[in-house]
Amino acid sequence: MTGKPLILCVDDAPSMLQGRKMLLEAAGYRVLTAAGGIEAVRVFLWNSVDLVLLDYHLPEINGAAAAARMKDAKPDVPIAILSSDECLPPGDLETADCFISKSEPIVSFLEQVDYLLSLRFLFRPLDTLIARKSRKAA
């Protein structure tokens, strides 16, 4: 892995977004931010993001709709839906890789971020190998 992992953090509450950004940067990550679902999809498509932390309640489109668009474009990037609601519609969580409660303790939150990133980087060499074989076969 070269460089620090890049995390896209999405929340329409500026204080939550800034606080999460500061926490993640202090933990050694690079962080991009977005305040709405459409903006989040745009930032996601234009950057090599390693993980998305996506608030469920967003203006324009909710986190579930944004996650679906992101997964269609880059299915290998893990997406965590964040919400203070403990019960979201099950269908809205299908495209996400996990749900994280906003009331989760900071240590637990960071452990989940580390876990999702470890999955991303665990399978990245396999993706590279498959892509190389496909190019050689063409």
Side-chain angles (χ1 to χ4, degrees), residues 3 9 15-16 29 32 42 45 71 73 77 88-90 99 103 111 122 129-130 134-137:
C9 196
S15 61
M16 290 293 293
Y29 301 112
L32 296 173
R42 189 176 319 119
L45 293 174
K71 283 292 188 180
V77 176
L88 297 175
F99 171 81
S103 62
E111 286 173 352
L122 176 68
L129 181 62
I130 291 169
S134 296
R135 279 183 283 206
K136 286 181 182 178

Side-chain angles (χ1 to χ4, degrees), residues 16 26 32 38 43 61 71 75 77 81 95-97 99 105 113 123:
M16 290 293 293
L32 296 173
I38 292 173
V43 170
I61 61 173
K71 283 292 188 180
V77 176
I81 298 281
T95 56
D97 296 287
F99 171 81
V113 166
F123 293 107

Side-chain angles (χ1 to χ4, degrees), residues 12 34-42 57-63 65-66 69:
D12 61 327
I38 292 173
E39 178 188 3
V41 172
R42 189 176 319 119
H57 297 286
L58 293 170
E60 304 155 342
I61 61 173
N62 70 21
R69 291 182 186 183

Side-chain angles (χ1 to χ4, degrees), residues 1-5 30 50 121 124:
M1 177 177 78
T2 58
K4 298 175 184 178
R30 295 178 299 137
D50 297 305
F121 295 121
R124 182 177 276 176

Side-chain angles (χ1 to χ4, degrees), residues 78-123:
I79 298 174
I81 298 281
L82 285 77
S83 180
S84 54
D85 298 341
E86 295 297 323
C87 293
L88 297 175
D92 283 359
L93 297 176
E94 288 177 0
T95 56
D97 296 287
C98 80
F99 171 81
I100 301 174
S101 173
K102 285 188 174 182
S103 62
E104 193 79 30
I106 291 172
V107 172
S108 247
F109 171 76
L110 290 173
E111 286 173 352
Q112 290 179 349
V113 166
D114 287 342
Y115 176 73
L116 289 167
L117 284 167
S118 71
L119 291 178
R120 166 86 167 136
F121 295 121
L122 176 68
F123 293 107

